[in-house]
RNA sequence: GCCGGGGUGGCGGAAUGGUAGACGCGGCGGACUUAAAAUCCGCUACCUUCACGGGUGUGUGGGUUCGAAUCCCACCUCCGGCACCA
């Protein structure tokens, strides 16, 4: 393609100029209203992918649009620099994670600059640097002192490949979110954050202004709140210290249908309840369950297996003895790790009962039930039956009555269970923030005092994981220390923090990245919270949930005065390869943005990212597609550099001038509304239409030079947030004062945008039969008269009677004929 | 299995109850050129007609409505998420 201008030269020229002039420096004291628009910071993999462009270029356009609307805009950038991938890559290349990460960042800064975004680089944050992670430690201690961080032994998720524990949120289909390895469980003592204490507040989305429903649904499902009853079964005849087994159910109305109890294989009572006769079988089963992979164990396809313990428990409501089984479909990590088996009204219990020939007793009768046996569990509503005093109640009434009675008798209590577990924040890896506590033989867990922070991550440590705990444990200089309380010998915590810790509060740090007396400067708190956040939907139940929790915690501690970190959220889609498949090296469909920028310029890539389709839908890369927008930018160049005085006043057609002004105002309105709602593709389409129109009237010579100038000026202003480099250049070439990016977005006049004629569609029985050009303000009677007079229409109405006429002002007349 | 979001020309897409296919790509024809590229102009859903025109058409089948891509019901299909949570 032959270019009218050299995008490479223009990109460089203006990027240097903006840098030199500090055009993107954000002033905290600017009197204009603030707008904090943030995009998820990238992981410094070392190479800026086209996916980064897809996330960042439209986000920058939106932030620029807000700035042109008169806001003081903070649109920052940083690097998510800690974490497993950096470490793994560093290990395989034999370079230190620090130097690997920092050289990647150096490279990515250059690539990011090529986007031409309004990032204020003075506010950049890099969370693997001590000036950032010391505040991770400071915040960790805040949560610790608040009782929201605790250390406990629990069955945790372990990735054998990454050699570390993971949070539940990092397990995807039983595999490690990062490397895909099937995870296992380990009983380990770990650091947790009490996110479950905030479960109900996290379910309350009323503090959010505009979030995709999809994310709200995902968070709601992840938290998985269920109201139910904890009900205990009597095992006092076993002579054990533990006199009862507690189970959790949401269907206490089915308590009379219990025909067995199932314990999770890891349940602490398993060994005690197993009789001699069944010991061998039970031990074999438990052993087997322990070896079964998490994937198989959680697969819904596998049938329900179990083994009888030989013991029985008593259902206190009817005095019945029911057998106690062990089954791996019961999870130790949910509820009490034991369930009451009600085969008639639970699909899983039904399958289990069939397999082990356990009785099925219906206690909630289906509506019109004829008394016959069930072929599957009945989960619907009905009237209680076989339930003693509760017979005849609806199941809803049954839940109320039985719950109340159980509480009265002390056999159980109403409670709420959550699917979500506490957030496991410790990792057995090197490349992360050291957890700021020491272990003293005398004093136990001792937090590092605030004024001793940061606890520096030693640079001379072994960072290759051994599988025998954290790499830092083998670094004597780090490990051995003195107790901050008694001064005696102590060991440092050698686990590091989950990297989601970094991103849980980074929106605070951007407001004052150099501040050294706290995580952020309270003097600039007016920036917060974030007005608009953009990023991928894959963080729905990880980063976005953690961050909401974190900020609520900090709110309760008085660190911040708001409860939601991100008021509005927009999820962009995924950019696909030219073959419509997900981009991957193995498919060979990866696009290198640097090469395209080199050839066609940053603005062409920006435009294409926005023109490809709705931003939330993603879409396929297209070589010919980007050539199309590059060609359009050249056409724009060609049109804009024309000399307006070449227009000959003698040819001016007032009607054409009016049409042009009207289209200009319509385009301003459309472009404004579209950019406001992230509808970049239709905003660009509108600008293309305006450019086509201008090109046409130029050829006709039908407008005057003043109108031409007005159109060109406004056109450039509208294009400026989309294509900042070429518009700045053209702004200069058309004799306007630097910088176009400090101008206001054009405003429109509805009166000038109004059409004075419309195309009146005439339908007969809903089918279009004619189109008439009529004055926009036509009255109904006149419109009908014109419609009926149309010869085309008459051929359909002649000899028939018009029984009804529908008139839609400004649009159509529909004649209903018999 | 459950919960979301989709399915519109050759392609990306526009239109959220009122002219289906804006805008762009591709294709075809023309201008310019010795020629090609680039650029510019015109045409471009399908069937039918010499033409004017007519008919059909937004995954499939029903429905509501004067009128449906748009609303309702059922189904097919693609993508994403969750998946024994008692």
């Amino acid at each position: 393609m032959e270019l009218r201008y050299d995008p490479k030269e223009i990109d460089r020229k203006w990027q240097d100029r903006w840098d030199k002039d500090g055009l993107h420096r954000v002033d905290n004291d600017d009197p204009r209203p603030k707008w904090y628009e943030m995009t998820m910071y990238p992981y410094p993999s070392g190479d800026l992918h086209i996916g980064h462009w897809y996330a960042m270029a439209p986000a920058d356009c939106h932030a620029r649009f807000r700035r042109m609307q008169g806001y003081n805009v903070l649109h920052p950038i940083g690097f998510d620099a800690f974490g497993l991938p950096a470490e793994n890559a560093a290990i395989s290349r034999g370079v230190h994670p620090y130097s690997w990460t920092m050289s990647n960042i150096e490279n990515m800064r250059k690539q990011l600059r090529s986007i031409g975004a309004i990032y204020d680089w003075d506010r950049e944050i890099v969370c693997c640097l001590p000036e950032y992670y010391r505040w991770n430690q400071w915040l960790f201690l805040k949560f610790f002192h608040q009782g929201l961080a605790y250390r406990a032994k629990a069955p945790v998720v372990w990735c054998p490949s990454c050699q570390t524990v993971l949070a539940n949120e990092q397990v995807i289909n039983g595999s490690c979110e990062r490397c895909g390895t099937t995870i296992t469980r380990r009983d380990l003592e770990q650091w947790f954050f009490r996110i479950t204490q905030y479960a109900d507040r996290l379910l309350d989305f009323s503090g959010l202004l505009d979030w995709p429903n999809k994310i709200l649904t995902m968070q709601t499902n992840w938290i998985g709140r269920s109201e139910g009853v904890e009900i205990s079964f009597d095992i006092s005849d076993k002579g054990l210290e533990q006199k009862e087994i507690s189970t959790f159910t949401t269907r206490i109305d089915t308590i009379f249908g219990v025909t067995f109890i199932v314990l999770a294989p890891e349940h602490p009572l398993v060994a005690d309840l197993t009789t001699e006769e069944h010991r061998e079988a039970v031990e074999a089963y438990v052993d087997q369950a322990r070896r079964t992979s998490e994937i198989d164990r959680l697969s819904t396809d596998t049938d329900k297996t179990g083994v009888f313990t030989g013991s029985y428990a008593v259902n206190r409501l009817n005095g019945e003895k029911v057998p106690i089984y062990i089954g791996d479909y019961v999870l130790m990590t949910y509820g009490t790790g034991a369930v009451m088996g009600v085969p008639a009204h639970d699909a899983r219990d039904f399958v289990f009962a069939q397999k082990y020939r356990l009785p099925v007793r219906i206690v909630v009768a289906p509506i019109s039930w004829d008394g016959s046996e069930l072929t599957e569990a009945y989960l619907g509503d009905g009237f209680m039956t076989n339930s003693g005093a509760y017979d005849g109640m609806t199941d809803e009434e049954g839940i109320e009555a039985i719950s109340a009675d159980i509480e009265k008798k002390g056999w159980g209590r109403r409670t709420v269970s959550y699917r979500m577990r506490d957030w496991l924040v410790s990792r057995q890896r090197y490349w992360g923030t050291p957890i700021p506590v020491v272990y003293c033989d005398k004093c136990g867990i001792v937090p590092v005092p605030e004024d001793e922070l940061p606890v520096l991550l030693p640079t001379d440590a072994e960072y290759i994981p051994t599988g025998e705990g954290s790499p830092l444990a083998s670094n004597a200089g780090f490990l051995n220390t003195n107790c901050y309380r008694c001064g005696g010998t102590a060991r440092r915590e050698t686990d590091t923090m989950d990297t989601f810790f970094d991103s849980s509060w980074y929106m605070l740090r951007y407001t004052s990245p150099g501040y050294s007396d706290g995580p952020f400067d309270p003097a600039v708190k007016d920036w917060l919270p974030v007005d608009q956040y953009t990023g991928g939907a894959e963080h729905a139940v990880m980063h976005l949930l953690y961050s909401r929790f974190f900020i609520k915690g900090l709110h309760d501690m008085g660190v911040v005065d708001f409860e939601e970190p991100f008021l509005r959220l927009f999820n962009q889609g995924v950019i696909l390869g030219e073959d419509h498949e997900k981009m991957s090296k193995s498919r060979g469909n990866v696009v290198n943005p640097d090469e395209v920028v080199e050839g066609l310029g940053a603005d062409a890539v920006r435009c294409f990212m926005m023109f490809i389709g709705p931003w939330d839908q993603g879409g396929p890369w297209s070589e010919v597609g980007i050539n199309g927008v590059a060609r359009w930018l050249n056409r724009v160049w060609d049109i804009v550099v024309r000399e307006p005085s070449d227009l000959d006043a003698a040819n001016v057609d007032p009607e054409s001038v009016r049409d042009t002004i009207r289209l200009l105002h319509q385009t301003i309105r459309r472009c404004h509304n579209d950019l406001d709602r992230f509808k970049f593709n239709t905003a660009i389409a509108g600008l293309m239409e305006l450019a086509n129109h201008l090109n046409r009237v130029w050829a006709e010579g039908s407008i005057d030079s003043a109108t031409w100038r007005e159109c060109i000026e406004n056109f450039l202003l509208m294009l400026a947030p989309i294509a900042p480099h070429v518009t700045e250049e053209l702004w200069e070439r058309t004799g306007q004062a630097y910088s176009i990016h400090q101008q206001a977005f054009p405003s429109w006049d509805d009166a000038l945008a109004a059409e004075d004629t419309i195309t009146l569609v005439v339908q007969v029985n809903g089918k279009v039969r004619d189109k008439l050009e009529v004055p926009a303000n036509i009255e109904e009677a006149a419109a009908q008269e014109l419609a009926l007079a149309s010869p085309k229409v008459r051929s359909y109405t002649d000899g028939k009677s018009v029984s009804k006429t529908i008139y839609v002002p400004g649009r159509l007349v529909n004649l209903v004929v018999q």
Side-chain angles (χ1 to χ4, degrees), chain A residues 328-349:
Chain A
D328 69 0
Y329 79 94
V330 177
L331 308 175
M332 193 57 222
T333 48
Y334 183 76
T336 60
V339 301
M340 54 182 225
V342 186
H345 304 292
D346 182 280
R348 297 150 302 180
D349 296 346

Side-chain angles (χ1 to χ4, degrees), chain A residues 447-521:
Chain A
V448 176
E450 230 177 80
D451 55 12
E452 297 281 342
L453 296 179
V455 176
L456 288 172
L457 183 65
T459 52
D460 61 344
E462 183 60 65
Y463 50 82
I464 297 171
T466 59
E468 303 299 317
S470 304
L472 287 177
S474 59
N475 187 298
F478 177 80
L479 180 68
N480 299 314
T481 185
N482 293 319
C483 174
Y484 291 100
R485 200 164 291 159
C486 71
T489 58
R491 289 165 297 110
R492 282 196 190 280
E493 169 63 81
T494 55
D495 283 357
T496 53
M497 294 182 201
D498 180 4
T499 52
F500 282 115
F501 206 98
D502 307 321
S503 55
S504 290
W505 66 278
Y506 74 134
M507 80 298 291
L508 307 180
R509 193 67 184 164
Y510 279 133
T511 64
S512 45
Y515 190 64
S516 54
D517 296 328
F520 71 105
D521 184 353

Side-chain angles (χ1 to χ4, degrees), chain A residues 706-728:
Chain A
T707 305
W708 177 265
R709 282 198 184 88
E710 183 187 345
C711 288
I712 293 297
E713 180 182 333
N714 283 296
F715 177 85
L716 287 177
L717 288 168
M718 288 189 275
L719 186 59
I722 299 165
H725 307 85
V726 69
T727 48
E728 184 80 286

